[in-house]
Amino acid sequence: MSDAQHFKVVIIGGGPAGIGAAVGLAKRGVGPVVLIERRAELGGTPMGYRKKPGGVPTFVEWTRGRVVFGEELAGRMAKRLAKTDTAIRLGTQVTKIDPAEKRLTLLGPDGVRELTADAAVLAAGAREQTPAEKGWLAGARTARVGFTRHVTGWLDRHGLLPARKPVVVGSDLIAYSAAAKLRAAGSDEPVMIDRRQSPSAGFFERLFFWRWTRPDWSGGVTAAGMKGDRAATGVQSSDGKEWPGDGVMVCGELVPNSELALLGGLAVELPSRQLQLARGQAMSEPGWFAAGNVLGGFHGAQWCYFNGRRLAKRIATFLE
Amino acid sequence: MVAPGMAQFGTWQPKSRGRLFYNWPPGACEEALRFTSAGQLGGEPYDVVIVGAGVVGCGLAHRLSMYDLRVLLVDRLHDVGEGTSKANSALIHSGYDAKPGTLESELLHEAEADWPGLAARLKIPLDPVGGIMMAVTDEQECQLEAAEKNAHANRVADVRILSADEIREREPNASSSVRGGLLVPGESLADPFMASIAFAEIALANGVDILLGVEIAGVELGQARHHLVTADGHRLPARRIVNAAGLGSRRLADGYGGGAFDINPRRGQFLLFDKSARPLVQHILLPVPTAHTKGVLVSPTIFGNLLAGPTAEDLPLDDPAATHTTVDGIRRVLEGGSRLVDGLARQPVIATYAGARCACSQGSYVIRYNDGAPGVVTLTGVRSTGLTTSISLARHLVDGMQKELGLELSPDSAALDARPESAWPGWWRRPFENGATDARADHGCAVCFCEVISEGEIRDALDSPLRPRTMDALKRRTRALTGRCQGFDCQVSLAEIVSGHTGIGIAQLTKNGPGSELVAPGQAEVPA
């Protein structure tokens, strides 16, 4: 298509990192900038954690030294973005990238479009590892095997409990927040299992969730399978130990959403899907940058936001 | 890939002459689709009732729908092709490795010529990539000649032996230990789900009634007619019964005193790799079989992924549906696949699944007419080749029923032979590709981000003739939920679209029928 719109910078992802990058670029007077978000609203992962009376606030706003709901934090970031001149495309997904030409193919409400840019930021965030990716978790493919994203979706958008007797697989901060949300919404005390000997969430992190949940912990599970015929009835280890329940939540252990880079031919390490960075946050093709949780690891919303903002300086230098 | 041309979006839709019902509790689907009494099917006995809506049952229903007959297709599961037909290697076999002279070999030979035309009529994709049987030890290399001879005995003439260099030329990532191989040009990739669905859609359009979620608990034999008795006590009158129940065929046969056979279910576990792994392999790579198993193959899928599997594990007789994967089984598949392809182990796996093949103690393709009672047909032991032979087997069965059961065949002049033109034939037809210009705005709103499936495509699939109403049924038609995130991002939003479009309460939606609700059962929604 010859009518591809051209921008100075294109940002893929409207979560904290993408918003941070857009705000940072606006502060430096770089423009025009376009931000592309595949969901219908800005805010990314934290936006899924709705503010609810009696709910569990799981996000830390370090700058104000307090604990908040993800929705509040993401909402404040989106407001800051609204004050800039950034063009925003909601409900629009980048389906293909041509890294050398910095040409993007988009699918949105107005159909398939293309755009080009001088620089691109991948701020696509991360998702939770699937059972198949974990490698030590197999078993039946039943209903009610879900992720933390489903816990927040069912609870915060529909007031529905994904399980009354949940088995949480994973033990990091995200797993604890899922357990706390389930318990606060009226589930039984969750059973928590992981491959690690002791929970990967630290002492103070566990202490924070103590008010809501004290999961029934089992560590050192090296091979296990989901049980159940139609819906999950628990998890069983290969040595015969069983953790009964009526739903299994596979939580935490994030995987970067690096597929655009992978399928576009940018350097990505397999099978971990980690971006192979040239230097700092620059990807293998000049003019391509990454920000936020797509870089790997798992960071809070504010870390991602400031990571995006700091990246703006790097991009401005590149554009000069 | 052959992706047949289609009607424009929004043009559709021929009215189905058959009726479709789900045996679901109130609220689980629209009232008009709900099966509540046998009276909904009309009082007259069916000329033929087919028990089992796998690819074999659907193929037979499609064939019978060409004639002026009252036919019912019934299954205990909640979509067509939801048992053995859904979890396999999805290949159309040339029949090169069949046992010459058997019915299986004959049916495979017939089917091979049929498939290109059949795929066009069913409007489903078929990708004739071809296969290579790879020998990776000296011992296996010695077996190639016998395999070639066997192929020629099966009238698969284009099979020939390749040297190791010829294989490396075609497959740069072939294992470095490859010694030689056998080129089998006639092996193709197909969509295992859409074959059953397309057969059933044509059958439904031609007047076949379809009843899903109905378990047949017993058979009452009579003189002029029999009755199939459902687990809920409904009686379905039938002049003739075809037992195409696959893994359940023994239990059904007990109900009418069918002859001796045993089902020895054999589980196969598979690994599905992400689309980034697809370029690794150009052909279907097959190992040299052993006496016990055909072994772990590595194959592209028609969906653009890479597949490795299956294992071959005998399952206990009392648990034929134990189609779960095991950590150990997955490791063995990966080892087996790595013997054929270098670098397979570093490719990201997106899903594992298992299916149970219907191995029969009496051999493959056991067909018995007037088995136990007049008018009853037993069909069992259709193992790995059911998808391929669905077309020729149906023809064979209908001929047999005419001869042995006195089934009168007068062609129905109004019957469709091909799947009707439709706005939404399946996942391969994308609203914004191939010059489609009349896509709606919701065709541009992606809901499944991995496979880039839009809200509009989900709605179109929900409106398709078989009225899919479970998440799994929707998944098989649209590919939503099948990508690398396995529903992480889209499960809840997908449920919202289904609920909004059909009016089914979101708490009532299921993965694959009652008992598989997506949330803890017995809740009412409290919208935020």
Side-chain angles (χ1 to χ4, degrees):
Chain A
M1 255 176 269
S2 54
D3 59 348
Q5 239 185 314
H6 184 80
F7 292 89
K8 204 88 186 157
V9 184
V10 56
I11 300 167
I12 304 170
I19 294 176
V23 171
L25 288 167
K27 286 229 149 83
R28 291 176 182 277
V30 177
V33 174
V34 63
L35 181 144
I36 298 159
E37 167 57 41
R38 58 191 187 179
R39 293 190 167 266
E41 61 179 5
L42 289 169
T45 298
M47 205 43 139
Y49 291 75
R50 300 287 177 184
K51 185 174 179 177
K52 286 208 144 186
V56 187
T58 52
F59 284 76
V60 187
E61 194 170 19
W62 296 105
T63 46
R64 298 192 192 188
R66 61 178 188 175
V67 184
V68 295
F69 289 90
E71 182 184 24
E72 299 176 274
L73 195 49
R76 274 198 282 280
M77 292 173 185
K79 267 190 200 144
R80 260 171 265 163
L81 175 71
K83 288 184 194 144
T84 68
D85 290 333
T86 313
I88 299 166
R89 304 263 178 91
L90 292 178
T92 301
Q93 190 181 5
V94 180
T95 56
K96 216 163 61 186
I97 60 170
D98 177 345
E101 299 287 321
K102 297 186 192 65
R103 179 181 286 272
L104 280 64
T105 310
L106 313 177
L107 177 69
D110 49 354
V112 176
R113 294 279 181 273
E114 289 201 332
L115 62 79
T116 55
D118 296 329
V121 181
L122 186 65
R127 61 174 171 83
E128 289 172 307
Q129 223 174 38
T130 62
E133 285 169 328
K134 287 192 189 305
W136 59 273
L137 195 59
R141 286 169 68 95
T142 69
R144 297 207 287 282
V145 173
F147 301 97
T148 308
R149 171 72 50 96
H150 301 161
V151 175
T152 61
W154 291 120
L155 277 178
D156 291 358
R157 273 154 78 175
H158 299 284
L160 293 168
L161 259 181
R164 288 202 180 84
K165 288 165 66 67
V167 178
V168 171
V169 177
S171 61
D172 60 11
L173 200 53
I174 300 172
Y176 269 85
S177 82
K181 279 187 78 80
L182 286 162
R183 185 85 176 97
S187 82
D188 290 355
E189 188 65 84
V191 169
M192 185 177 275
I193 62 171
D194 200 354
R195 185 163 50 163
R196 300 168 57 103
Q197 288 298 337
S198 55
S200 48
F203 175 74
F204 288 103
E205 291 169 339
R206 280 181 281 151
L207 192 63
F208 172 77
F209 288 109
W210 189 257
R211 262 180 71 188
W212 295 282
T213 185
R214 295 154 204 192
D216 180 1
W217 164 255
S218 294
V221 183
T222 51
M226 314 278 186
K227 295 276 288 174
D229 175 21
R230 327 250 26 217
T233 57
V235 178
Q236 185 176 32
S237 70
S238 57
D239 50 14
K241 238 196 246 162
E242 258 190 84
W243 297 275
D246 65 354
V248 181
M249 304 299 140
V250 182
C251 300
E253 300 198 272
L254 299 186
V255 180
N257 285 332
S258 59
E259 45 270 6
L260 272 179
L262 177 62
L263 296 171
L266 293 166
V268 175
E269 182 191 282
L270 292 178
S272 68
R273 299 179 187 272
Q274 297 288 334
L275 296 173
Q276 288 179 325
L277 300 170
R279 199 162 63 87
Q281 286 167 245
M283 302 199 326
S284 58
E285 177 76 29
W288 282 84
F289 301 90
N293 277 338
V294 77
L295 292 165
F298 74 103
H299 302 282
Q302 273 207 322
W303 185 94
C304 292
Y305 176 82
F306 286 113
N307 179 260
R309 272 194 57 167
R310 272 196 310 276
L311 178 62
K313 184 179 173 189
R314 190 73 208 274
I315 297 169
T317 316
F318 168 81
L319 290 172
E320 280 158 22
Chain B
M1 189 201 289
V2 186
M6 278 289 153
Q8 294 231 308
F9 280 87
T11 60
W12 191 319
Q13 146 127 236
K15 210 167 154 46
S16 297
R17 288 195 275 154
R19 289 161 289 196
L20 167 84
F21 296 107
Y22 288 102
N23 183 30
W24 287 0
C29 63
E30 299 96 308
E31 207 49 32
L33 289 176
R34 220 161 69 74
F35 179 66
T36 51
S37 82
Q40 283 168 296
L41 303 169
E44 279 295 292
Y46 284 98
D47 293 313
V48 183
V49 175
I50 304 163
V51 182
V55 71
V56 170
C58 291
L60 180 60
H62 161 252
R63 184 79 193 167
L64 288 171
S65 78
M66 303 296 150
Y67 304 99
D68 208 359
L69 293 168
R70 257 174 67 73
V71 178
L72 174 70
L73 178 63
V74 49
D75 201 289
R76 71 181 176 89
L77 297 173
H78 307 275
D79 186 17
V80 299
E82 200 163 47
T84 301
S85 305
K86 79 169 190 300
N88 49 59
S89 47
L91 304 180
I92 300 300
H93 297 286
S94 62
Y96 77 101
D97 59 347
K99 200 169 160 196
T102 57
L103 176 60
E104 183 174 29
S105 161
E106 183 57 39
L107 292 174
L108 282 166
H109 177 68
E110 274 184 46
E112 202 202 351
D114 282 336
W115 259 95
L118 177 68
R121 290 200 305 283
L122 297 182
K123 301 192 168 75
I124 60 174
L126 182 71
D127 195 355
V129 292
I132 298 176
M133 184 200 272
M134 280 175 42
V136 291
T137 63
D138 291 335
E139 199 184 324
Q140 289 180 351
E141 200 185 349
C142 300
Q143 286 169 263
L144 291 176
E145 226 164 282
E148 190 188 26
K149 268 200 195 118
N150 188 69
H152 291 162
N154 281 317
R155 290 175 284 171
V156 184
D158 52 1
V159 165
R160 69 182 176 89
I161 287 179
L162 296 178
S163 71
D165 286 339
E166 282 176 306
I167 291 179
R168 279 193 207 99
E169 207 175 285
R170 288 172 170 81
E171 292 289 346
N173 296 305
S175 155
S176 48
S177 51
V178 63
R179 305 296 166 92
L182 196 66
L183 180 70
V184 192
E187 304 275 302
S188 306
L189 308 178
D191 178 338
F193 318 124
M194 288 309 289
S196 305
I197 291 164
F199 275 135
E201 282 191 7
I202 301 174
L204 187 70
N206 289 345
V208 171
D209 291 340
I210 299 179
L211 203 49
L212 296 171
V214 171
E215 170 113 47
I216 302 297
V219 184
E220 284 176 18
L221 299 173
Q223 288 299 322
R225 69 178 72 166
H226 311 302
H227 283 92
L228 290 162
V229 184
T230 73
D232 308 320
H234 299 295
R235 293 168 81 240
L236 310 172
R239 291 202 177 91
R240 295 166 200 86
I241 297 169
V242 179
N243 177 356
L247 293 169
S249 55
R250 179 64 259 174
R251 217 156 56 98
L252 184 65
D254 287 339
Y256 54 78
F261 68 88
D262 285 311
I263 297 296
N264 305 314
R266 190 176 279 180
R267 177 171 62 191
Q269 303 190 37
F270 291 90
L271 287 183
L272 193 64
F273 296 88
D274 202 352
K275 288 183 173 169
S276 55
R278 171 66 182 85
L280 215 56
V281 160
Q282 310 309 316
H283 299 74
I284 301 157
L285 300 185
L286 308 141
V288 175
T290 66
H292 181 60
T293 165
K294 285 187 181 178
V296 172
L297 60 83
V298 179
S299 165
T301 70
I302 196 124
F303 314 111
N305 301 88
L306 197 66
L307 180 75
T311 54
E313 308 152 65
D314 290 319
L315 288 178
L317 289 172
D318 54 344
D319 195 10
T323 55
H324 58 266
T325 56
T326 60
V327 173
D328 182 53
I330 289 163
R331 185 181 49 76
R332 275 182 287 136
V333 172
L334 202 55
E335 280 170 10
S338 300
R339 278 196 283 275
L340 301 181
V341 180
D342 283 341
L344 193 67
R346 65 182 282 272
Q347 290 300 328
V349 172
I350 61 173
T352 61
Y353 66 91
R357 332 208 230 317
C358 173
C360 175
S361 60
Q362 311 280 307
S364 63
Y365 288 82
V366 175
I367 303 173
R368 290 176 187 157
Y369 299 98
N370 299 314
D371 188 22
V376 178
V377 182
T378 302
L379 162 63
T380 192
V382 179
R383 222 165 47 182
S384 325
T385 49
L387 175 62
T388 313
T389 60
S390 53
I391 175 77
S392 47
L393 177 59
R395 214 161 34 219
H396 182 84
L397 280 170
V398 171
D399 287 351
M401 287 165 77
Q402 188 180 21
K403 274 190 214 117
E404 310 281 339
L405 270 55
L407 184 68
E408 279 175 40
L409 300 175
S410 65
D412 177 354
S413 56
L416 302 169
D417 182 32
R419 195 163 164 223
E421 289 288 315
S422 68
W424 188 87
W427 54 268
W428 58 89
R429 159 83 163 153
R430 308 313 309 277
F432 286 100
E433 278 171 18
N434 307 325
T437 51
D438 51 351
R440 303 185 306 259
D442 64 350
H443 286 128
C445 301
V447 53
C448 165
F449 300 128
C450 298
E451 299 285 308
V452 199
I453 310 298
S454 67
E455 292 182 15
E457 286 159 278
I458 302 296
R459 294 194 181 102
D460 290 345
L462 287 167
D463 290 340
S464 68
L466 286 174
R467 298 285 186 269
R469 289 294 180 265
T470 67
M471 300 305 260
D472 277 359
L474 214 50
K475 166 173 101 175
R476 288 190 283 272
R477 285 159 175 82
T478 64
R479 311 291 303 149
L481 295 165
T482 63
R484 59 189 70 83
C485 87
Q486 292 287 292
F488 168 84
D489 257 314
C490 69
Q491 196 207 55
V492 179
S493 22
L494 204 57
E496 287 165 2
I497 294 165
V498 176
S499 174
H501 192 71
T502 61
I504 304 169
I506 200 160
Q508 265 77 53
L509 289 177
T510 64
K511 180 178 192 291
N512 50 16
S516 66
E517 285 74 19
L518 302 180
V519 295
Q523 300 180 80
E525 188 191 5
V526 189

